[in-house]
Short mmCIF file of all heavy atoms in Angstrom, two decimals:
data_model
loop_
_atom_site.label_atom_id
_atom_site.label_comp_id
_atom_site.label_asym_id
_atom_site.label_seq_id
_atom_site.Cartn_x
_atom_site.Cartn_y
_atom_site.Cartn_z
N ALA K 1 107.52 134.11 109.34
CA ALA K 1 106.70 134.29 110.60
C ALA K 1 107.60 134.32 111.79
O ALA K 1 107.26 134.87 112.79
CB ALA K 1 105.59 133.29 110.65
N TRP K 2 108.71 133.54 111.72
CA TRP K 2 109.55 133.36 112.86
C TRP K 2 110.20 134.76 113.25
O TRP K 2 110.17 135.08 114.48
CB TRP K 2 110.71 132.39 112.57
CG TRP K 2 111.66 132.22 113.65
CD1 TRP K 2 111.49 131.42 114.77
CD2 TRP K 2 112.96 132.82 113.81
NE1 TRP K 2 112.61 131.50 115.58
CE2 TRP K 2 113.54 132.36 115.02
CE3 TRP K 2 113.73 133.67 113.02
CZ2 TRP K 2 114.77 132.73 115.48
CZ3 TRP K 2 114.94 134.13 113.50
CH2 TRP K 2 115.49 133.61 114.61
N ARG K 3 110.58 135.56 112.33
CA ARG K 3 111.18 136.87 112.58
C ARG K 3 110.13 137.80 113.21
O ARG K 3 110.50 138.56 114.05
CB ARG K 3 111.75 137.48 111.29
CG ARG K 3 112.58 138.70 111.54
CD ARG K 3 113.36 139.12 110.26
NE ARG K 3 114.29 138.12 109.80
CZ ARG K 3 115.50 137.93 110.25
NH1 ARG K 3 115.96 138.71 111.22
NH2 ARG K 3 116.29 137.00 109.70
N GLU K 4 108.93 137.71 112.80
CA GLU K 4 107.86 138.54 113.35
C GLU K 4 107.58 138.12 114.79
O GLU K 4 107.39 139.05 115.62
CB GLU K 4 106.55 138.37 112.55
CG GLU K 4 106.67 139.04 111.16
CD GLU K 4 107.30 138.23 110.05
OE1 GLU K 4 107.69 137.03 110.43
OE2 GLU K 4 107.44 138.68 108.99
N VAL K 5 107.62 136.86 115.13
CA VAL K 5 107.50 136.45 116.55
C VAL K 5 108.66 136.97 117.38
O VAL K 5 108.40 137.53 118.47
CB VAL K 5 107.46 134.90 116.61
CG1 VAL K 5 107.52 134.37 118.08
CG2 VAL K 5 106.18 134.41 115.94
N VAL K 6 109.83 136.88 116.83
CA VAL K 6 111.03 137.47 117.59
C VAL K 6 110.84 138.95 117.78
O VAL K 6 111.11 139.51 118.88
CB VAL K 6 112.32 137.13 116.89
CG1 VAL K 6 113.50 137.84 117.58
CG2 VAL K 6 112.62 135.60 116.85
N ALA K 7 110.29 139.63 116.77
CA ALA K 7 110.16 141.12 116.85
C ALA K 7 109.12 141.47 117.99
O ALA K 7 109.36 142.39 118.80
CB ALA K 7 109.73 141.69 115.60
N VAL K 8 108.03 140.72 117.91
CA VAL K 8 106.99 141.03 118.94
C VAL K 8 107.54 140.73 120.35
O VAL K 8 107.27 141.50 121.32
CB VAL K 8 105.69 140.17 118.64
CG1 VAL K 8 104.72 140.24 119.90
CG2 VAL K 8 105.02 140.72 117.42
N ARG K 9 108.20 139.59 120.54
CA ARG K 9 108.66 139.25 121.82
C ARG K 9 109.82 140.25 122.31
O ARG K 9 109.86 140.54 123.47
CB ARG K 9 109.18 137.80 121.82
CG ARG K 9 107.99 136.81 121.64
CD ARG K 9 108.40 135.41 121.67
NE ARG K 9 108.88 135.05 123.10
CZ ARG K 9 109.71 134.02 123.30
NH1 ARG K 9 110.08 133.25 122.29
NH2 ARG K 9 110.14 133.82 124.46
N ALA K 10 110.65 140.63 121.33
CA ALA K 10 111.69 141.62 121.74
C ALA K 10 111.09 142.95 122.10
O ALA K 10 111.49 143.52 123.15
CB ALA K 10 112.69 141.79 120.55
N ALA K 11 110.11 143.41 121.35
CA ALA K 11 109.40 144.68 121.72
C ALA K 11 108.71 144.58 123.07
O ALA K 11 108.78 145.49 123.95
CB ALA K 11 108.48 145.06 120.69
N ALA K 12 108.16 143.43 123.30
CA ALA K 12 107.46 143.17 124.63
C ALA K 12 108.47 143.17 125.79
O ALA K 12 108.18 143.74 126.84
CB ALA K 12 106.70 141.88 124.63
N ARG K 13 109.68 142.61 125.53
CA ARG K 13 110.74 142.60 126.55
C ARG K 13 111.16 143.99 126.89
O ARG K 13 111.42 144.31 128.04
CB ARG K 13 111.87 141.68 126.09
CG ARG K 13 113.14 141.76 126.90
CD ARG K 13 112.89 141.15 128.28
NE ARG K 13 114.10 140.98 129.01
CZ ARG K 13 114.69 141.95 129.72
NH1 ARG K 13 114.12 143.15 129.84
NH2 ARG K 13 115.87 141.76 130.32
N VAL K 14 111.38 144.85 125.82
CA VAL K 14 111.79 146.18 126.05
C VAL K 14 110.70 146.91 126.89
O VAL K 14 111.01 147.66 127.86
CB VAL K 14 111.98 146.90 124.72
CG1 VAL K 14 112.21 148.40 124.87
CG2 VAL K 14 113.26 146.28 123.99
N ALA K 15 109.46 146.71 126.45
CA ALA K 15 108.34 147.41 127.18
C ALA K 15 108.21 146.99 128.60
O ALA K 15 108.04 147.80 129.54
CB ALA K 15 107.03 147.24 126.41
N ALA K 16 108.32 145.67 128.84
CA ALA K 16 108.22 145.09 130.16
C ALA K 16 109.29 145.68 131.11
O ALA K 16 109.03 146.03 132.29
CB ALA K 16 108.23 143.69 130.17
N SER K 17 110.54 145.77 130.58
CA SER K 17 111.68 146.34 131.38
C SER K 17 111.33 147.75 131.75
O SER K 17 111.57 148.09 132.96
CB SER K 17 112.95 146.19 130.64
OG SER K 17 113.37 144.88 130.53
N PHE K 18 110.92 148.48 130.82
CA PHE K 18 110.63 149.96 131.11
C PHE K 18 109.50 150.05 132.10
O PHE K 18 109.59 150.83 133.04
CB PHE K 18 110.27 150.63 129.77
CG PHE K 18 110.05 152.06 129.90
CD1 PHE K 18 111.08 152.95 129.93
CD2 PHE K 18 108.72 152.60 130.00
CE1 PHE K 18 110.86 154.36 130.08
CE2 PHE K 18 108.44 153.90 130.15
CZ PHE K 18 109.55 154.83 130.20
N ALA K 19 108.45 149.34 131.87
CA ALA K 19 107.28 149.49 132.73
C ALA K 19 107.54 149.04 134.18
O ALA K 19 106.97 149.58 135.07
CB ALA K 19 106.09 148.61 132.20
N SER K 20 108.46 148.10 134.38
CA SER K 20 108.77 147.64 135.74
C SER K 20 109.92 148.42 136.33
O SER K 20 110.30 148.12 137.53
CB SER K 20 109.07 146.15 135.73
OG SER K 20 110.30 145.94 135.04
N GLY K 21 110.48 149.40 135.60
CA GLY K 21 111.62 150.08 136.23
C GLY K 21 112.96 149.38 136.16
O GLY K 21 113.94 149.90 136.83
N ARG K 22 113.02 148.23 135.49
CA ARG K 22 114.38 147.55 135.36
C ARG K 22 115.21 148.24 134.35
O ARG K 22 114.71 148.98 133.50
CB ARG K 22 114.13 146.11 134.92
CG ARG K 22 113.41 145.22 135.95
CD ARG K 22 113.35 143.79 135.53
NE ARG K 22 112.78 143.71 134.23
CZ ARG K 22 111.74 142.91 133.81
NH1 ARG K 22 111.16 142.18 134.77
NH2 ARG K 22 111.31 142.90 132.60
N PRO K 23 116.51 148.03 134.37
CA PRO K 23 117.37 148.62 133.36
C PRO K 23 116.98 148.15 131.96
O PRO K 23 116.48 147.03 131.80
CB PRO K 23 118.75 148.05 133.72
CG PRO K 23 118.71 147.61 135.15
CD PRO K 23 117.23 147.21 135.36
N PRO K 24 117.23 148.99 131.01
CA PRO K 24 116.83 148.65 129.59
C PRO K 24 117.66 147.43 129.15
O PRO K 24 118.86 147.39 129.43
CB PRO K 24 117.07 149.89 128.78
CG PRO K 24 117.96 150.74 129.61
CD PRO K 24 117.74 150.41 131.06
N PRO K 25 117.10 146.55 128.37
CA PRO K 25 117.84 145.38 127.93
C PRO K 25 118.74 145.66 126.70
O PRO K 25 118.46 146.64 125.94
CB PRO K 25 116.75 144.41 127.50
CG PRO K 25 115.58 145.34 127.10
CD PRO K 25 115.69 146.48 127.98
N ASP K 26 119.77 144.93 126.55
CA ASP K 26 120.59 144.95 125.35
C ASP K 26 120.20 143.77 124.44
O ASP K 26 119.46 142.90 124.86
CB ASP K 26 122.06 144.95 125.74
CG ASP K 26 122.54 143.72 126.53
OD1 ASP K 26 121.77 142.81 126.67
OD2 ASP K 26 123.75 143.67 126.78
N ALA K 27 120.77 143.70 123.25
CA ALA K 27 120.39 142.62 122.34
C ALA K 27 120.88 141.34 122.86
O ALA K 27 120.10 140.31 122.65
CB ALA K 27 121.06 142.94 121.04
N ARG K 28 121.95 141.24 123.50
CA ARG K 28 122.45 139.92 124.06
C ARG K 28 121.46 139.42 125.07
O ARG K 28 121.14 138.22 125.03
CB ARG K 28 123.86 140.10 124.58
CG ARG K 28 124.44 138.80 124.93
CD ARG K 28 125.94 138.90 125.37
NE ARG K 28 126.76 139.61 124.34
CZ ARG K 28 127.22 139.04 123.26
NH1 ARG K 28 126.99 137.85 122.99
NH2 ARG K 28 127.91 139.89 122.46
N GLY K 29 120.99 140.22 125.96
CA GLY K 29 120.09 139.84 127.04
C GLY K 29 118.78 139.39 126.43
O GLY K 29 118.17 138.34 126.88
N ILE K 30 118.31 140.05 125.45
CA ILE K 30 117.03 139.69 124.78
C ILE K 30 117.22 138.36 124.12
O ILE K 30 116.35 137.44 124.30
CB ILE K 30 116.59 140.75 123.77
CG1 ILE K 30 116.18 142.01 124.55
CG2 ILE K 30 115.41 140.21 122.94
CD1 ILE K 30 115.92 143.28 123.70
N ALA K 31 118.32 138.17 123.43
CA ALA K 31 118.59 136.89 122.67
C ALA K 31 118.59 135.73 123.69
O ALA K 31 118.06 134.70 123.40
CB ALA K 31 119.90 137.01 121.92
N LEU K 32 119.33 135.93 124.86
CA LEU K 32 119.41 134.82 125.80
C LEU K 32 118.05 134.52 126.39
O LEU K 32 117.74 133.37 126.55
CB LEU K 32 120.43 135.26 126.91
CG LEU K 32 121.84 135.31 126.58
CD1 LEU K 32 122.71 135.88 127.66
CD2 LEU K 32 122.35 133.85 126.29
N GLU K 33 117.30 135.61 126.73
CA GLU K 33 115.96 135.37 127.33
C GLU K 33 115.03 134.67 126.37
O GLU K 33 114.25 133.71 126.70
CB GLU K 33 115.38 136.70 127.76
CG GLU K 33 114.05 136.46 128.46
CD GLU K 33 113.51 137.82 129.05
OE1 GLU K 33 114.29 138.58 129.53
OE2 GLU K 33 112.36 138.02 128.87
N LEU K 34 115.13 135.02 125.05
CA LEU K 34 114.27 134.38 124.07
C LEU K 34 114.76 133.01 123.54
O LEU K 34 114.00 132.35 122.83
CB LEU K 34 114.08 135.33 122.92
CG LEU K 34 113.36 136.71 123.21
CD1 LEU K 34 113.23 137.50 121.90
CD2 LEU K 34 112.04 136.52 123.96
N GLY K 35 116.03 132.71 123.85
CA GLY K 35 116.64 131.49 123.29
C GLY K 35 116.87 131.59 121.80
O GLY K 35 116.63 130.52 121.16
N VAL K 36 117.22 132.72 121.32
CA VAL K 36 117.35 133.01 119.90
C VAL K 36 118.74 133.45 119.67
O VAL K 36 119.38 134.19 120.51
CB VAL K 36 116.34 134.10 119.47
CG1 VAL K 36 116.55 134.45 117.99
CG2 VAL K 36 114.89 133.56 119.69
N PRO K 37 119.43 133.12 118.54
CA PRO K 37 120.74 133.66 118.19
C PRO K 37 120.78 135.19 118.18
O PRO K 37 119.75 135.85 117.90
CB PRO K 37 121.09 133.10 116.86
CG PRO K 37 120.17 131.87 116.70
CD PRO K 37 118.93 132.17 117.47
N LEU K 38 122.00 135.72 118.57
CA LEU K 38 122.13 137.18 118.64
C LEU K 38 121.81 137.89 117.37
O LEU K 38 121.14 138.99 117.34
CB LEU K 38 123.48 137.50 119.19
CG LEU K 38 123.89 139.00 119.35
CD1 LEU K 38 122.87 139.65 120.32
CD2 LEU K 38 125.26 139.08 119.86
N ARG K 39 122.39 137.43 116.19
CA ARG K 39 122.23 138.12 114.96
C ARG K 39 120.77 138.45 114.58
O ARG K 39 120.47 139.61 114.25
CB ARG K 39 122.96 137.39 113.83
CG ARG K 39 122.68 137.83 112.47
CD ARG K 39 123.55 138.83 111.84
NE ARG K 39 124.87 138.39 111.69
CZ ARG K 39 125.90 139.15 111.64
NH1 ARG K 39 125.70 140.44 111.81
NH2 ARG K 39 127.12 138.76 111.51
N PRO K 40 119.87 137.48 114.59
CA PRO K 40 118.46 137.86 114.27
C PRO K 40 117.87 138.78 115.25
O PRO K 40 117.11 139.70 114.85
CB PRO K 40 117.77 136.48 114.33
CG PRO K 40 118.79 135.48 114.23
CD PRO K 40 120.09 136.02 114.78
N VAL K 41 118.28 138.79 116.49
CA VAL K 41 117.73 139.76 117.46
C VAL K 41 118.20 141.15 117.12
O VAL K 41 117.51 142.08 117.14
CB VAL K 41 118.14 139.36 118.90
CG1 VAL K 41 117.71 140.43 119.88
CG2 VAL K 41 117.35 138.04 119.30
N GLN K 42 119.45 141.24 116.78
CA GLN K 42 120.09 142.51 116.32
C GLN K 42 119.33 143.06 115.11
O GLN K 42 119.06 144.23 115.10
CB GLN K 42 121.57 142.44 116.11
CG GLN K 42 122.38 142.11 117.34
CD GLN K 42 123.83 141.84 116.98
OE1 GLN K 42 124.18 141.24 116.08
NE2 GLN K 42 124.72 142.34 117.88
N GLU K 43 119.12 142.23 114.19
CA GLU K 43 118.43 142.66 112.98
C GLU K 43 116.98 143.09 113.21
O GLU K 43 116.55 144.08 112.78
CB GLU K 43 118.45 141.51 111.93
CG GLU K 43 119.82 141.16 111.36
CD GLU K 43 119.85 139.89 110.56
OE1 GLU K 43 118.81 139.12 110.50
OE2 GLU K 43 120.89 139.60 110.05
N VAL K 44 116.29 142.43 114.08
CA VAL K 44 114.92 142.71 114.48
C VAL K 44 114.95 144.00 115.22
O VAL K 44 114.03 144.93 114.99
CB VAL K 44 114.24 141.58 115.32
CG1 VAL K 44 113.12 142.01 116.11
CG2 VAL K 44 113.89 140.42 114.32
N LEU K 45 115.90 144.24 116.11
CA LEU K 45 115.92 145.46 116.95
C LEU K 45 116.23 146.63 115.97
O LEU K 45 115.59 147.71 116.20
CB LEU K 45 116.93 145.40 118.01
CG LEU K 45 116.52 144.53 119.20
CD1 LEU K 45 117.71 144.26 120.11
CD2 LEU K 45 115.40 145.14 119.99
N THR K 46 117.04 146.49 115.01
CA THR K 46 117.29 147.52 113.97
C THR K 46 116.03 147.91 113.31
O THR K 46 115.65 149.06 113.07
CB THR K 46 118.36 147.09 113.05
OG1 THR K 46 119.64 146.94 113.73
CG2 THR K 46 118.59 148.15 111.92
N ALA K 47 115.29 146.90 112.81
CA ALA K 47 113.95 147.17 112.23
C ALA K 47 112.98 147.77 113.06
O ALA K 47 112.27 148.72 112.68
CB ALA K 47 113.40 145.81 111.66
N LEU K 48 112.89 147.37 114.38
CA LEU K 48 112.00 148.08 115.35
C LEU K 48 112.38 149.49 115.59
O LEU K 48 111.51 150.36 115.70
CB LEU K 48 111.99 147.26 116.64
CG LEU K 48 111.32 145.85 116.60
CD1 LEU K 48 111.59 145.09 117.86
CD2 LEU K 48 109.85 146.00 116.26
N CYS K 49 113.68 149.76 115.53
CA CYS K 49 114.21 151.17 115.63
C CYS K 49 113.73 152.01 114.49
O CYS K 49 113.21 153.06 114.59
CB CYS K 49 115.68 151.26 115.83
SG CYS K 49 116.29 150.70 117.49
N ARG K 50 113.88 151.45 113.30
CA ARG K 50 113.52 152.14 112.06
C ARG K 50 112.02 152.42 111.99
O ARG K 50 111.54 153.41 111.47
CB ARG K 50 113.89 151.29 110.77
CG ARG K 50 115.29 151.50 110.41
CD ARG K 50 115.64 150.92 109.05
NE ARG K 50 116.93 150.34 109.05
CZ ARG K 50 117.21 149.12 108.73
NH1 ARG K 50 116.30 148.21 108.42
NH2 ARG K 50 118.46 148.71 108.75
N ALA K 51 111.22 151.44 112.58
CA ALA K 51 109.78 151.61 112.59
C ALA K 51 109.32 152.54 113.75
O ALA K 51 108.12 152.81 113.80
CB ALA K 51 109.13 150.24 112.73
N GLY K 52 110.23 152.94 114.55
CA GLY K 52 109.78 153.92 115.66
C GLY K 52 109.11 153.15 116.81
O GLY K 52 108.38 153.80 117.61
N ILE K 53 109.34 151.82 117.02
CA ILE K 53 108.72 151.09 118.00
C ILE K 53 109.63 151.09 119.32
O ILE K 53 109.18 151.21 120.45
CB ILE K 53 108.46 149.72 117.58
CG1 ILE K 53 107.34 149.83 116.48
CG2 ILE K 53 107.95 148.80 118.73
CD1 ILE K 53 107.05 148.54 115.77
N VAL K 54 110.92 150.92 119.10
CA VAL K 54 111.87 151.02 120.13
C VAL K 54 112.95 152.04 119.74
O VAL K 54 113.10 152.39 118.59
CB VAL K 54 112.62 149.68 120.48
CG1 VAL K 54 111.62 148.58 120.82
CG2 VAL K 54 113.51 149.18 119.30
N ALA K 55 113.66 152.51 120.71
CA ALA K 55 114.72 153.51 120.51
C ALA K 55 115.98 153.02 121.14
O ALA K 55 116.00 152.53 122.30
CB ALA K 55 114.31 154.85 121.08
N PRO K 56 117.18 153.22 120.40
CA PRO K 56 118.46 152.81 120.99
C PRO K 56 118.92 153.87 122.01
O PRO K 56 118.57 155.07 121.94
CB PRO K 56 119.33 152.74 119.75
CG PRO K 56 118.74 153.73 118.86
CD PRO K 56 117.29 153.63 119.04
N SER K 57 119.62 153.36 123.03
CA SER K 57 120.25 154.29 124.05
C SER K 57 121.58 153.65 124.39
O SER K 57 121.90 152.56 123.86
CB SER K 57 119.32 154.41 125.24
OG SER K 57 119.82 155.32 126.07
N GLN K 58 122.28 154.36 125.23
CA GLN K 58 123.58 153.83 125.69
C GLN K 58 123.58 153.54 127.21
O GLN K 58 123.02 154.37 127.91
CB GLN K 58 124.68 154.82 125.30
CG GLN K 58 125.02 154.93 123.87
CD GLN K 58 125.86 153.75 123.43
OE1 GLN K 58 126.93 153.52 123.99
NE2 GLN K 58 125.45 153.00 122.38
N ARG K 59 124.13 152.49 127.59
CA ARG K 59 124.41 152.23 129.10
C ARG K 59 125.86 151.86 129.09
O ARG K 59 126.26 150.72 128.73
CB ARG K 59 123.50 151.08 129.57
CG ARG K 59 123.75 150.84 131.08
CD ARG K 59 122.84 149.75 131.62
NE ARG K 59 123.03 148.54 130.91
CZ ARG K 59 122.14 147.58 130.79
NH1 ARG K 59 120.89 147.79 131.29
NH2 ARG K 59 122.34 146.52 130.17
N GLY K 60 126.74 152.77 129.51
CA GLY K 60 128.17 152.57 129.46
C GLY K 60 128.54 152.45 128.00
O GLY K 60 128.28 153.36 127.26
N ASP K 61 129.20 151.33 127.66
CA ASP K 61 129.63 151.16 126.25
C ASP K 61 128.72 150.25 125.46
O ASP K 61 129.03 149.79 124.38
CB ASP K 61 131.04 150.70 126.25
CG ASP K 61 131.29 149.35 126.91
OD1 ASP K 61 130.39 148.91 127.57
OD2 ASP K 61 132.35 148.76 126.68
N GLU K 62 127.56 149.92 125.99
CA GLU K 62 126.66 148.96 125.34
C GLU K 62 125.36 149.66 124.86
O GLU K 62 124.90 150.55 125.51
CB GLU K 62 126.35 147.76 126.17
CG GLU K 62 125.62 148.06 127.47
CD GLU K 62 125.40 146.83 128.32
OE1 GLU K 62 125.53 145.66 127.81
OE2 GLU K 62 125.14 146.98 129.49
N ASP K 63 124.87 149.16 123.76
CA ASP K 63 123.61 149.65 123.25
C ASP K 63 122.44 148.91 124.00
O ASP K 63 122.46 147.66 124.07
CB ASP K 63 123.49 149.37 121.72
CG ASP K 63 124.48 150.15 120.88
OD1 ASP K 63 124.77 151.32 121.31
OD2 ASP K 63 124.91 149.64 119.84
N VAL K 64 121.48 149.75 124.48
CA VAL K 64 120.33 149.18 125.10
C VAL K 64 119.14 149.75 124.39
O VAL K 64 119.26 150.70 123.57
CB VAL K 64 120.37 149.51 126.64
CG1 VAL K 64 121.48 148.82 127.33
CG2 VAL K 64 120.36 151.05 126.88
N TYR K 65 117.99 149.35 124.74
CA TYR K 65 116.74 149.66 123.97
C TYR K 65 115.65 150.04 124.94
O TYR K 65 115.42 149.47 125.94
CB TYR K 65 116.26 148.49 123.14
CG TYR K 65 117.35 148.26 122.03
CD1 TYR K 65 118.35 147.34 122.26
CD2 TYR K 65 117.34 148.91 120.87
CE1 TYR K 65 119.39 147.17 121.37
CE2 TYR K 65 118.34 148.73 119.90
CZ TYR K 65 119.40 147.77 120.15
OH TYR K 65 120.37 147.62 119.27
N LEU K 66 114.94 151.14 124.58
CA LEU K 66 113.83 151.68 125.32
C LEU K 66 112.59 151.78 124.43
O LEU K 66 112.77 151.89 123.19
CB LEU K 66 114.14 153.14 125.85
CG LEU K 66 115.35 153.27 126.77
CD1 LEU K 66 115.76 154.70 126.89
CD2 LEU K 66 114.90 152.77 128.10
N PRO K 67 111.41 151.89 124.93
CA PRO K 67 110.23 152.11 124.06
C PRO K 67 110.38 153.45 123.42
O PRO K 67 110.85 154.43 124.02
CB PRO K 67 109.05 152.11 125.07
CG PRO K 67 109.52 151.35 126.33
CD PRO K 67 111.04 151.68 126.38
N ALA K 68 110.06 153.55 122.15
CA ALA K 68 110.05 154.83 121.47
C ALA K 68 108.76 155.61 121.58
O ALA K 68 108.72 156.75 121.18
CB ALA K 68 110.36 154.62 120.00
N ARG K 69 107.74 154.94 122.12
CA ARG K 69 106.46 155.59 122.28
C ARG K 69 105.92 155.34 123.73
O ARG K 69 106.36 154.40 124.27
CB ARG K 69 105.46 155.01 121.27
CG ARG K 69 105.90 155.06 119.81
CD ARG K 69 104.96 154.36 118.87
NE ARG K 69 105.45 154.38 117.53
CZ ARG K 69 104.89 153.83 116.51
NH1 ARG K 69 103.76 153.17 116.71
NH2 ARG K 69 105.42 153.86 115.37
N PRO K 70 104.98 156.18 124.08
CA PRO K 70 104.38 155.92 125.47
C PRO K 70 103.78 154.54 125.52
O PRO K 70 103.15 154.01 124.53
CB PRO K 70 103.31 157.02 125.57
CG PRO K 70 103.69 158.08 124.58
CD PRO K 70 104.45 157.33 123.49
N LEU K 71 103.86 153.97 126.65
CA LEU K 71 103.20 152.65 126.86
C LEU K 71 101.75 152.84 127.29
O LEU K 71 101.44 152.88 128.44
CB LEU K 71 103.92 151.85 127.94
CG LEU K 71 105.40 151.49 127.61
CD1 LEU K 71 106.05 150.74 128.78
CD2 LEU K 71 105.52 150.71 126.33
N GLU K 72 100.84 153.00 126.35
CA GLU K 72 99.45 153.25 126.68
C GLU K 72 98.63 152.15 126.03
O GLU K 72 98.83 151.61 125.07
CB GLU K 72 99.03 154.58 126.12
CG GLU K 72 99.79 155.65 126.94
CD GLU K 72 99.43 157.07 126.34
OE1 GLU K 72 98.70 157.13 125.34
OE2 GLU K 72 99.79 157.97 126.93
#
C-alpha cells in the first residue's frame, strides 16, 4: 500500500505543477517534497509512465514529468 500512496501523491504533484503553471517536477524534487527516498519515487514514476498517467520530458539535462492526459 505504501508504494500506491507514493504513486498517487507523485501523480498529484505532477498534475498540481502543471495546473498552476509551475515548472514540471523531477524525481528528486518529488522525493524531497514527499519525504521519500529517491529510488522508490523513480520506480513509481516509471510505472506511472508505463500506465500513461505521467509522461517524461526533458528540462536541460534532467528528466521531468508532465501529465500524460488532460486534467479534467
